[in-house]
C-alpha cells in the first residue's frame, strides 16, 4: 500500500524533523524562509492538504494564532489619525476569525531593521506572531525584512516586495471626483498640497496622479508651482509655511481652490488661512481626503470617506488566507471611497 501522505512522510522525504514540518506549514518565523519553501513545495508535490483550522480559523476556544499589527506612528496621542478606525475593524474581524491581535506602535523613521534590538522584533518573538499587518508607510528595507519572517499584509500603502498583499483605497479615482466637484463649482485655478513626512510612502503620489488626471479631463491647466510638497527636488515646507505659500498664491495668482492629500492637512489649512486674512470657503475652497470628523467649532471639510473599518477587517481575512496559502499569487485589493459633502467648497470668491 502507498504510504499515507502526512507530515511524517514530508519530514522523511526532506530529512527534517516533524516539528520543523509542522512549523514550516504554519509559517512560523523561527523557521528559515528557505526551509519553509522546501516544506511547502514537498507538501504540494505529495498532495498534502493542510486543514485551514490548523493555521487559521480555529475553534471558538482557541487563541493560539497571533497576528501582529504594526502601526507606523509613535505610541501616544496622534491628532486626526485614521488608524484607530482601521484597528477597530481589525479587532472585530479577529473575533470572528478566532485569532489574537498584538498591536505594536513604531515611528517609521526610528525603525532600523539592521538592529536586532528593535521593539518590533521583541513583539514578534514574545507574542509569537504568525503574520503581520502594516498600517501606514514604512521604509522598503524594513518591510522586506518583516516579510521574510512573516506572512504580511499592508494597509493603505504599496510596496515592491513580491509576497506582500495590499489592502488600499482607490486613491486616484476618488481624487478625480473631488477635483470634478471643484470644477463644477466654477473653479479653474486649482492647486494641490501635501505635508512632508519622515517616510513618505506612495499614497501622496497616487492622490496627486488623480488630481492631474482630473485637470486634464476637465480641460484645466496644470501649473507645477501650484503643487506643494510633492516634487522631490523642491524644498519641503512645514505646515505653517504651506499656509503662507497658499495665501500668497491665492492673492498673487488667483488660485481659488486647494486639494489637500489628507483631511488632517485640510483641517489645519482651514485653521491657518483666517490668521492670514483669508476666509474658507469664501476666498478659498478646500478639499481633504479620509472623511474624518471635524474638531469642535470647525467646518466639515469636503472630502472622500475611506472605509477604514472595512479595510481593517479585510486585512485580517487576507492575512489568515495568506498564512494558509503562502505561495498563492499576490493580491492587491482596492476599496472605493465615498464622497462627503462638506462646508469648504463655494463658488470662486474675490480675495484681495
Amino acid at each position: 500500500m502507498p504510504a499515507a501522505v502526512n507530515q511524517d512522510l514530508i519530514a522523511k522525504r526532506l530529512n527534517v524533523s516533524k516539528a520543523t514540518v509542522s512549523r514550516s506549514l504554519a509559517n512560523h518565523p523561527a523557521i528559515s524562509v528557505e526551509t519553509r519553501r522546501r516544506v511547502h513545495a514537498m507538501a504540494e508535490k505529495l498532495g498534502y492538504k493542510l486543514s485551514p483550522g490548523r493555521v487559521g480559523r480555529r475553534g471558538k476556544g482557541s487563541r493560539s494564532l497571533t497576528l501582529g499589527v504594526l502601526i507606523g506612528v509613535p505610541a501616544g496621542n496622534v491628532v486626526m489619525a485614521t488608524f484607530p478606525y482601521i484597528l477597530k475593524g481589525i479587532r472585530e474581524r479577529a473575533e470572528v476569525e478566532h485569532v489574537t491581535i498584538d498591536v505594536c506602535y513604531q515611528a517609521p523613521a526610528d525603525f532600523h531593521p539592521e538592529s536586532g534590538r528593535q521593539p518590533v522584533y521583541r513583539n514578534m518573538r514574545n507574542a509569537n506572531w504568525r503574520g503581520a499587518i502594516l498600517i501606514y508607510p514604512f521604509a522598503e528595507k524594513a518591510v522586506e525584512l518583516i516579510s521574510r519572517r512573516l506572512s504580511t499584509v499592508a494597509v493603505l500603502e504599496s510596496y515592491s516586495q513580491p509576497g506582500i498583499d495590499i489592502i488600499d483605497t482607490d486613491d486616484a479615482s476618488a481624487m478625480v471626483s473631488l477635483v470634478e466637484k471643484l470644477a463644477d463649482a466654477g473653479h479653474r485655478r486649482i492647486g494641490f498640497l501635501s505635508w512632508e513626512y519622515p517616510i513618505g510612502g506612495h499614497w501622496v503620489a497616487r492622490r496627486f496622479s488623480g488630481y492631474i488626471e482630473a485637470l486634464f479631463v476637465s480641460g484645466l491647466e496644470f501649473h507645477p508651482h501650484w503643487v506643494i510638497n510633492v516634487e522631490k527636488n523642491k524644498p519641503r515646507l512645514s505646515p505653517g509655511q504651506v499656509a503662507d505659500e497658499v495665501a500668497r498664491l491665492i492673492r498673487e495668482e488667483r488660485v481659488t481652490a486647494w486639494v489637500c492629500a489628507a483631511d488632517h492637512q485640510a483641517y489645519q489649512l482651514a485653521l491657518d488661512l483666517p490668521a492670514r486674512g483669508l476666509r474658507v470657503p469664501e476666498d478659498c475652497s478646500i478639499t481633504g481626503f479620509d472623511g474624518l470628523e471635524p474638531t469642535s467649532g470647525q467646518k466639515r471639510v469636503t472630502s472622500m470617506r475611506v472605509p477604514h473599518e472595512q479595510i481593517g477587517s479585510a486585512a485580517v481575512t487576507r492575512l489568515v488566507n495568506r498564512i494558509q496559502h503562502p505561495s498563492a499569487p499576490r493580491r492587491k485589493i482596492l476599496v472605493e471611497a465615498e464622497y462627503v459633502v462638506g462646508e469648504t467648497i463655494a463658488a470662486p470668491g474675490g480675495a484681495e
Side-chain angles (χ1 to χ4, degrees), residues 117-233:
R117 297 185 177 183
Q118 295 291 302
V120 173
Y121 295 147
R122 288 200 299 271
N123 276 58
M124 286 183 184
R125 292 190 299 269
N126 295 341
N128 193 26
W129 288 13
R130 301 280 291 283
I133 297 173
L134 309 181
I135 301 177
Y136 298 153
F138 287 91
E140 285 278 353
K141 184 63 176 178
V143 173
E144 178 186 1
L145 290 180
I146 291 172
S147 65
R148 283 180 181 176
R149 295 169 176 238
L150 301 167
S151 297
T152 306
V153 172
V155 170
L156 301 182
E157 183 54 46
S158 297
Y159 298 100
S160 61
Q161 306 307 315
I164 297 179
D165 293 319
I166 308 294
I167 312 291
D168 208 346
T169 312
D170 191 356
D171 293 301
S173 64
M175 192 58 77
V176 168
S177 298
L178 283 175
V179 177
E180 287 178 345
K181 295 293 183 183
L182 291 169
D184 290 343
H187 293 277
R188 294 294 176 266
R189 303 171 76 80
I190 304 171
F192 181 94
L193 67 86
S194 183
W195 286 358
E196 173 71 349
Y197 300 95
I199 302 294
H202 301 89
W203 62 276
V204 172
R206 292 196 304 270
R207 294 176 187 182
F208 176 65
S209 71
Y211 159 79
I212 295 291
E213 179 183 345
L215 292 184
F216 282 93
V217 168
S218 301
L220 304 178
E221 292 186 22
F222 169 62
H223 296 265
H225 59 287
W226 293 355
V227 176
I228 301 174
N229 283 345
V230 175
E231 190 175 334
K232 277 189 175 181
N233 298 325

Side-chain angles (χ1 to χ4, degrees), residues 1-2 93 142 171 181 316 328:
M1 294 181 63
R93 189 64 198 177
D171 293 301
K181 295 293 183 183
V316 174

Side-chain angles (χ1 to χ4, degrees), residues 272-316:
D272 290 341
L273 288 181
R276 292 158 175 78
L278 294 166
R279 301 165 297 168
V280 178
E282 293 84 357
D283 299 320
C284 171
S285 290
I286 294 174
T287 65
F289 201 108
D290 282 324
L292 298 179
E293 295 293 322
T295 57
S296 178
Q298 275 202 282
K299 296 176 180 178
R300 176 181 289 278
V301 166
T302 301
S303 185
M304 298 298 294
R305 179 178 291 114
V306 176
H308 294 107
E309 291 184 29
Q310 289 87 341
I311 286 174
S313 176
V316 174

Side-chain angles (χ1 to χ4, degrees), residues 8-260:
D8 284 325
L9 180 60
I10 297 171
K12 289 178 182 177
R13 293 289 179 92
L14 294 174
N15 195 28
V16 298
S17 69
K18 183 180 176 182
T20 296
V21 170
S22 178
R23 286 182 151 199
S24 295
L25 292 173
N27 287 301
H28 195 285
I31 306 300
S32 71
V33 173
E34 176 58 24
T35 299
R36 280 184 272 164
R37 186 197 64 76
R38 291 176 57 228
V39 170
H40 281 284
M42 180 59 69
E44 184 175 354
K45 179 180 178 181
L46 296 176
Y48 177 77
K49 302 296 183 182
L50 184 64
S51 169
R54 295 291 297 276
V55 296
R57 297 172 178 82
R58 297 171 175 265
K60 191 171 182 179
S62 175
R63 282 288 186 184
S64 55
L65 181 67
T66 299
L67 306 181
V69 179
L70 185 58
I71 304 176
V73 295
N77 185 32
V78 180
V79 178
M80 299 292 287
T82 58
F83 74 83
Y85 306 101
I86 300 171
L87 195 54
K88 183 174 185 291
I90 288 173
R91 292 188 189 282
E92 289 177 352
R93 189 64 198 177
E95 288 294 323
V96 175
E97 298 281 357
H98 304 299
V99 299
T100 299
I101 297 299
D102 182 51
V103 179
C104 181
Y105 297 89
Q106 174 66 61
D110 298 334
F111 185 24
H112 307 292
E114 66 278 3
S115 171
R117 297 185 177 183
Q118 295 291 302
V120 173
Y121 295 147
R122 288 200 299 271
N123 276 58
M124 286 183 184
R125 292 190 299 269
N126 295 341
N128 193 26
W129 288 13
R130 301 280 291 283
I133 297 173
L134 309 181
I135 301 177
Y136 298 153
F138 287 91
E140 285 278 353
K141 184 63 176 178
V143 173
E144 178 186 1
L145 290 180
I146 291 172
S147 65
R148 283 180 181 176
R149 295 169 176 238
L150 301 167
S151 297
T152 306
V153 172
V155 170
L156 301 182
E157 183 54 46
S158 297
Y159 298 100
S160 61
Q161 306 307 315
I164 297 179
D165 293 319
I166 308 294
I167 312 291
D168 208 346
T169 312
D170 191 356
D171 293 301
S173 64
M175 192 58 77
V176 168
S177 298
L178 283 175
V179 177
E180 287 178 345
K181 295 293 183 183
L182 291 169
D184 290 343
H187 293 277
R188 294 294 176 266
R189 303 171 76 80
I190 304 171
F192 181 94
L193 67 86
S194 183
W195 286 358
E196 173 71 349
Y197 300 95
I199 302 294
H202 301 89
W203 62 276
V204 172
R206 292 196 304 270
R207 294 176 187 182
F208 176 65
S209 71
Y211 159 79
I212 295 291
E213 179 183 345
L215 292 184
F216 282 93
V217 168
S218 301
L220 304 178
E221 292 186 22
F222 169 62
H223 296 265
H225 59 287
W226 293 355
V227 176
I228 301 174
N229 283 345
V230 175
E231 190 175 334
K232 277 189 175 181
N233 298 325
K234 284 189 176 180
R236 297 309 207 204
L237 305 182
S238 67
Q241 292 171 326
V242 167
D244 290 338
E245 181 64 5
V246 166
R248 185 188 72 81
L249 289 168
I250 292 171
R251 290 191 167 98
E252 296 181 7
E253 301 198 25
R254 298 292 187 178
V255 181
T256 60
W258 285 90
V259 176
C260 301

